[in-house]
Amino acid sequence: MAAGHNFSPHFLFVVAALTIAATGCLGERSPPTVKGAYWPSSATTTFPPSAINTSLFTHIFYAFLAPSDISHKFEISDSTAVSLSNFTSTLRYADPPAKTLFSVGGGGDDTDYARIASEPSSRRVFIRSSIEVARKFGFDGVDLDWEFPKSPKEMKYLGLLLKEWRHAIKREAQLTSRPPLLLTAAVYFSVDFFLGDNRSFPVAAIRESLDWINVMTYDYHGAWANITGPNAALFDPTSNINTIYGLKSWIQAGMPTDKIVMGLPLYGRTWQLEDPNMNGVGAKAVGPGPGNGSLNYNVVDRLLKNGSTVVYDAATVSVYSVVGSSWIAFDNALTITTKIGFAQALGLRGYFFWALSFDKEWEISTQASRSWVLDNK
């Protein structure tokens, strides 16, 4: 190693594990890599599908659609129909093309998915409608972002929903002689909700029913607590709220690594410091900082050009910056590279971003794509 470089033990572990993973892959046939991103449909006018650099992605998720709480069907308005058609047609004929899925739900959705999933009749209506929408508008699949089942009973309903969904997709493909739709889901960073209750995802049903899961390995810390911390820590010596703990919990619960896709945030979390002179990780804050606690990466990048210093925290593989009394936690090219290396070392299927329009001139997306060296075709 060149003199003057101090590599952390975490980084050296990633390099060693990645070498082992690369050796183990020789001669083995792996499922295609997923380089995904969610596209917020609210960005239609400011960031249309035609602006997407498809050379950096394999799968783009339309975010979001929600079923009716009354009929349990997807009731598509004329304006949404135009948006869906434009999305799929643009990406299908892009160079290179990208596969498309529409995502159901999202963090701000108040649909009662537990009610839909609790009864065979409502599950059947919901599933049939999802397949009809996917085929009508030319999607390659459907993604479920139910945030989150609130009890062990609701987790059981989720398992039933996914099993019946997969069965319906297989049957539809057989009857129409078309390739089966993809079926994926966005899930909590850990297989269980260890912070206060005993909910755990139904891994057996997920493993059998889904093509892969998008693990939301971010939103670990934010202005909802008046203590600064990394948005998406890879490690954390002080708690289990970190990406490595979460991913390993899924693997240890029986989820195959080639059905796990790691989440990466294209946004930062912000706080207003209580004392600007006390500004490390874990510093006291009095509330949210710029952007009411959240800033897209392209905005963070503009703030950093005003002379602020970026601090790398090796313990968590995260970066933060202090701008006056504002504290900003985010990911940059260095942390993204390390996370991509670790995802490959674990043998994961790929990665995804939330959200596609938040990047700055494809800076982070390009770094991630280049860093994924074990590309499966």
Side-chain angles (χ1 to χ4, degrees):
M1 295 181 186
H5 291 280
N6 294 316
F7 294 97
S8 73
H10 297 326
F11 179 81
L12 295 176
F13 175 77
V14 168
V15 173
L18 182 55
T19 302
I20 294 171
T23 303
C25 285
L26 295 177
E28 298 179 5
R29 187 178 182 87
S30 301
T33 297
V34 173
K35 297 180 178 181
Y38 284 80
W39 177 80
S41 58
S42 59
T44 299
T45 56
T46 58
F47 198 92
S50 58
I52 298 173
N53 183 347
T54 54
S55 69
L56 303 175
F57 306 101
T58 60
H59 298 76
I60 307 294
F61 299 80
Y62 182 103
F64 295 98
L65 291 181
S68 165
D69 257 332
I70 299 173
S71 70
H72 310 312
K73 297 179 180 180
F74 293 89
E75 299 175 355
I76 307 298
S77 68
D78 290 344
S79 60
T80 299
V82 171
S83 178
L84 294 172
S85 296
N86 181 56
F87 179 80
T88 55
S89 61
T90 299
L91 296 176
R92 185 186 307 115
Y93 297 111
D95 185 19
K99 291 190 178 297
T100 58
L101 300 87
F102 71 86
S103 188
V104 180
D109 183 19
D110 58 3
T111 302
D112 191 350
Y113 291 101
R115 181 170 167 235
I116 293 174
S118 65
E119 296 291 338
S121 58
S122 50
R123 290 196 298 268
R124 186 162 52 250
V125 170
F126 168 79
I127 290 168
R128 183 182 299 134
S129 181
S130 74
I131 294 172
E132 289 173 353
V133 170
R135 292 304 193 192
K136 178 178 180 179
F137 294 101
F139 284 92
D140 297 291
V142 187
D143 174 69
L144 177 64
D145 188 2
W146 176 358
E147 298 186 23
F148 295 101
K150 296 181 175 61
S151 67
K153 180 182 287 187
E154 291 191 9
M155 286 295 187
K156 181 181 178 181
Y157 294 154
L158 172 63
L160 291 172
L161 175 66
L162 296 180
K163 285 182 177 181
E164 292 174 16
W165 210 341
R166 171 55 64 190
H167 177 76
I169 284 175
K170 285 183 177 179
R171 181 167 174 76
E172 187 271 345
Q174 291 169 350
L175 291 173
T176 61
S177 300
R178 302 173 75 172
L181 293 168
L182 294 169
L183 184 61
T184 67
V187 297
Y188 191 57
F189 86 97
S190 170
V191 74
D192 51 43
F193 288 72
F194 58 87
L195 299 175
D197 58 44
N198 61 351
R199 283 175 289 162
S200 295
F201 281 91
V203 174
I206 290 173
R207 181 178 61 241
E208 296 165 8
S209 305
L210 298 183
D211 290 281
W212 70 80
I213 54 173
N214 289 333
V215 185
M216 294 185 281
T217 43
Y218 43 75
D219 282 346
Y220 300 151
H221 299 278
W224 51 84
N226 286 331
I227 299 176
T228 64
N231 181 30
L234 182 59
F235 302 95
D236 191 335
T238 66
S239 80
N240 288 335
I241 306 175
N242 64 82
T243 295
I244 293 307
Y245 174 87
L247 293 175
K248 286 186 175 179
S249 76
W250 278 101
I251 295 168
Q252 290 167 358
M255 196 67 193
T257 56
D258 63 6
K259 286 195 171 189
I260 298 176
V261 174
M262 178 184 67
L264 298 170
L266 282 171
Y267 63 94
R269 290 290 179 183
T270 72
W271 290 258
Q272 196 72 20
L273 292 169
E274 181 179 272
D275 179 355
N277 295 314
M278 302 293 290
N279 54 30
V281 174
K284 291 183 178 180
V286 294
N292 196 31
S294 180
L295 285 180
N296 298 350
Y297 178 74
N298 50 27
V299 179
V300 172
D301 182 76
R302 289 200 297 271
L303 288 176
L304 297 181
K305 290 180 178 177
N306 293 330
S308 62
T309 300
V310 175
V311 180
Y312 174 70
D313 182 54
T316 58
V317 188
S318 65
V319 291
Y320 65 89
S321 185
V322 181
V323 183
S325 61
S326 298
W327 201 92
I328 307 169
F330 61 101
D331 274 279
N332 65 4
L334 173 61
T335 63
I336 290 294
T337 300
T338 307
K339 290 178 179 181
I340 292 293
F342 210 98
Q344 291 177 99
L346 289 176
L348 303 191
R349 179 73 167 268
Y351 62 87
F352 76 91
F353 284 108
W354 175 265
L356 195 145
S357 57
F358 299 172
D359 205 351
K360 174 192 171 284
E361 298 177 356
W362 306 110
E363 179 181 319
I364 300 299
S365 305
T366 299
Q367 183 64 30
S369 184
R370 289 175 177 171
S371 299
W372 191 274
V373 297
L374 302 178
D375 202 19
N376 304 318
K377 299 295 187 182

